[in-house]
Amino acid sequence: MAIWTKELDLRALNAGSANTAISHLGIEFTEYGDDYVCARIHVDERTCQPYGILHGGVSVVLAETLGSLAAACSIPEGYRCVGLNVSANHVRAGRKGSWITATARPTHLGRTTHVWGIELRDEDGKLTCSCSLTMAILPPEQASRVRLDAESLAK
């Protein structure tokens, strides 16, 4: 059974990311299933550190982008979500010229918090980074104070 409360449309998600950090870094939403969503990023001049490997901060941006989108698309109508904590363990370098694919899956879908596990893998399927993202779920009376319009991310 799907966890999504909003329709996921990859074309709309990618188009809706225009002129943001997401598009600037070249993050592309690529796939989703009943309980996961995927995106990828190319390791290039936009995303590398001086050593020619994927910048750790960019890995975290990819993870937080994907986990935030997943949370926004799995909460009840009228609710909003905001990030509380993100942590990352960098276990392997993403090499220049390669693609890194991230997959977000829920670890906990509670009434007031979500925890999302996001794994980043290289083209050989090897883990490059493991992240955890905790999101606060705000009810409608608090959500009105949050300017983020999650519905603009998904139809």
Side-chain angles (χ1 to χ4, degrees):
M1 175 177 279
I3 62 171
W4 311 119
T5 58
K6 296 166 186 71
E7 181 182 337
L8 291 170
D9 177 337
L10 295 175
R11 185 174 295 144
L13 290 172
N14 286 311
S17 298
N19 301 313
T20 68
I22 298 166
S23 65
H24 176 72
L25 293 171
I27 295 172
E28 302 171 12
F29 299 103
T30 59
E31 178 185 353
Y32 65 91
D34 286 349
D35 69 346
Y36 71 92
V37 62
C38 299
R40 70 181 190 160
I41 196 165
H42 194 245
V43 184
D44 59 25
E45 66 281 349
R46 297 170 297 175
T47 60
C48 275
Q49 55 157 280
Y51 293 130
I53 59 176
L54 183 62
H55 192 289
V58 173
S59 294
V60 175
V61 170
L62 174 58
E64 188 160 359
T65 297
L66 201 52
S68 294
L69 166 78
C73 291
S74 62
I75 57 177
E77 188 66 36
Y79 284 66
R80 296 287 185 262
C81 56
V82 294
L84 288 177
N85 185 62
V86 63
S87 64
N89 291 295
H90 306 286
V91 297
R92 179 182 308 275
R95 302 283 175 204
K96 192 168 189 176
S98 68
W99 286 93
I100 301 295
T101 299
T103 303
R105 293 182 187 277
T107 302
H108 166 74
L109 298 177
R111 186 178 52 81
T112 60
T113 60
H114 281 192
V115 179
W116 291 84
I118 304 102
E119 289 189 345
L120 283 65
R121 295 187 176 271
D122 65 17
E123 293 168 320
D124 295 326
K126 294 182 179 174
L127 184 69
T128 62
C129 185
S130 177
C131 295
S132 177
L133 175 66
T134 303
M135 302 291 292
I137 309 305
L138 305 177
E141 59 274 10
Q142 291 178 328
S144 63
R145 291 183 254 161
V146 177
R147 296 175 62 107
L148 173 66
D149 182 6
E151 274 73 46
S152 69
L153 297 175
K155 291 188 173 202

